[in-house]
Every structure is written in structure tokens, then in C-alpha cells.
Amino acid sequence: MAHRLKQYERMSVLPLFPLNQVVFPGQRQALHIFEPRYRQLVQETRDNGTPFGIALIREGQEVGGSATTHDIGCAVQLRHLEGLPDGRYNIICQGVQRFRVLEPLGADPYLRAEVEFLPEPQDANDEPVAGLSPAVAAQFRRYSALALALQDSWQREVPHPIRPVFLADYIAARLDVSTQVKQEVLGEPTAFRRLEFLLRVLQKENQSLAQRLLLHRRHKLHGLGAGN
């Protein structure tokens, strides 16, 4: 499960795509591109083989008008592009590396910014991080099992990356939580704090899912006439 397929230069000017969602390194994201300015962004990054940035909107609108974004986002590379007859695109892009906005550079025709690409956290291979990782993975397996059970389904194994930094990105991309929670994970500067935060989120979500599953099973039993 490769995450960072490419490491970019320390600083660069990056086209930005403001969205009401958060993307993580390694995550594949499907997008429908219809605004002329973002069609141009896609065309230029496709032709140049360069990345663009996805950043969560702080203020403004996703469609039309202008938007300001959070400072931490994720650079993505195009992986698949389908051109439609009217000029729109369906694309699949993949997150490759976090970045921090240093200075916005205007929005003509689309938002651009001078950014700093963020390297892997310095503590990525430290013992405390390795020690915390199994607990986070266990909570994620429970989260996945509970979510599947609520759909009356199950899975023998829940695959996930082993390396702690990749594990954190993988889990954060798949959690059904608010964009603000996801943005907090994306912005955490150390691997330990990222995993520690995810552990708290998973424990809370698992408690809620377990209660929902209990109610779900009670309703199913009553629907079958059991317990009357």
C-alpha cells in the first residue's frame, strides 16, 4: 500500500482545489470537474505531469465564487482522467504529500499558493510511535467490524498498512467523521500525536457504533417476533 509515491521539492507554487473534504496521502479520490477554471487546472497539471493541492475550505463556497482554505492540505497526482463530450472531466487523483500554505498568490483563473511540502514526521520510526500503532490498528479493526455489522455484513480480515504513518493516513481517510476531525488529523505535526488523536476518535466512535448495533439487533429480533 504505497503512500508517498513521490517526494516534491521543499517549496513550490501549487495550484489549489478548495473542497469541502479532506484528502490524505495514499488516498484515491474521485472528482467531477465542471467549472471552467478547474477544467483548466486539470488540463495544465495533466499536460505538465505536476501535482495540484486539495485543501479543506475554511470560508467560502466550493462551487462558484471564492474560497479560503485551511493552511494544511494534501498534494495529489492524477491517476485517471475521463474527458466528457461537453468538456467536463471525471478524474481519480491520489494523495501523495502534505503541504502547508505559506502565501496565497491570487485566484486568476484558479487559486494558487506558495507552499512548503511537509516531510515525514521526525518521530515516524520512534519506539513510542511503534508501541502505540497496534492499539490504533486494533481499534480500527473493531470500528470496521462494527460498521459492517450495522449493514448485516462482515469481513474475516480488515487489511491495513503496518508502518505507523501510513496506518494513520489509511485510517483517517476511511473514518466516517466530520471534515474538521479529519483536518485535525491532517494537521498534527508528529506521528505520535496523530495516532494518539486517532485512538481517542476511534474509541469514541466504537462506543457509539456498539450502542447502535445493540439497538439494530434488538429491532431485528422484534421484527422477527422474538422477545414478545
Side-chain angles (χ1 to χ4, degrees):
M1 298 179 182
H3 275 53
R4 291 158 188 77
L5 306 183
K6 185 175 182 178
Q7 291 287 301
Y8 298 110
E9 295 297 328
R10 183 72 172 174
M11 294 175 61
S12 181
V13 173
L14 192 66
L16 295 186
F17 196 154
L19 285 179
N20 286 315
Q21 55 190 298
V22 180
V23 174
F24 291 87
Q27 179 180 350
R28 291 204 169 212
Q29 179 66 50
L31 296 171
H32 179 65
I33 310 297
F34 57 91
E35 286 193 74
R37 54 181 171 170
Y38 295 126
R39 294 186 203 176
Q40 181 177 340
L41 182 155
V42 167
Q43 291 166 358
E44 291 176 358
T45 54
R46 174 198 61 190
D47 294 343
N48 298 330
T50 52
F52 63 93
I54 290 179
L56 178 66
I57 292 173
R58 187 192 301 273
E59 294 180 354
Q61 300 177 347
E62 187 173 275
V63 178
S66 60
T68 59
T69 69
H70 287 262
D71 290 340
I72 305 295
C74 186
V76 302
Q77 281 277 4
L78 283 174
R79 295 293 175 234
H80 174 76
L81 184 147
E82 176 191 8
L84 302 176
D86 61 0
R88 293 174 296 136
Y89 293 109
N90 290 324
I91 69 170
I92 297 175
C93 53
Q94 184 173 24
V96 287
Q97 192 171 355
R98 286 170 171 78
F99 65 84
R100 177 184 291 109
V101 173
L102 299 177
E103 183 180 357
L105 298 176
D108 185 16
Y110 48 74
L111 190 64
R112 293 175 300 115
E114 183 178 359
V115 305
E116 173 190 22
F117 288 106
L118 302 177
E120 189 170 90
Q122 291 184 352
D123 67 338
N125 298 312
D126 288 358
E127 285 188 17
V129 172
L132 185 58
S133 184
V136 177
Q139 287 293 327
F140 176 65
R141 289 193 293 271
R142 176 164 171 74
Y143 173 87
S144 300
L146 289 168
L148 286 169
L150 277 167
Q151 303 172 33
D152 297 317
S153 184
W154 67 283
Q155 186 173 337
R156 187 181 299 275
E157 294 183 5
V158 179
H160 56 74
I162 300 301
R163 286 197 62 199
V165 173
F166 292 178
L167 175 69
D169 289 338
Y170 184 87
I171 292 174
R174 286 157 179 79
L175 283 179
D176 185 13
V177 294
S178 72
T179 55
Q180 294 304 317
V181 169
K182 287 176 177 275
Q183 183 64 36
E184 190 165 348
V185 177
L186 189 74
E188 286 288 2
T190 70
F192 187 85
R193 286 174 56 177
R194 209 171 288 169
L195 288 169
E196 192 176 44
F197 180 75
L198 280 171
L199 183 61
R200 294 197 304 269
V201 171
L202 283 163
Q203 288 170 337
K204 181 179 178 181
E205 290 298 312
N206 286 345
Q207 184 177 24
S208 175
L209 286 173
Q211 292 172 349
R212 288 172 54 193
L213 182 59
L214 181 61
L215 291 173
H216 174 72
R217 287 174 171 168
R218 284 177 178 172
H219 290 159
K220 283 192 67 178
L221 286 172
H222 291 164
L224 293 172
N228 294 332

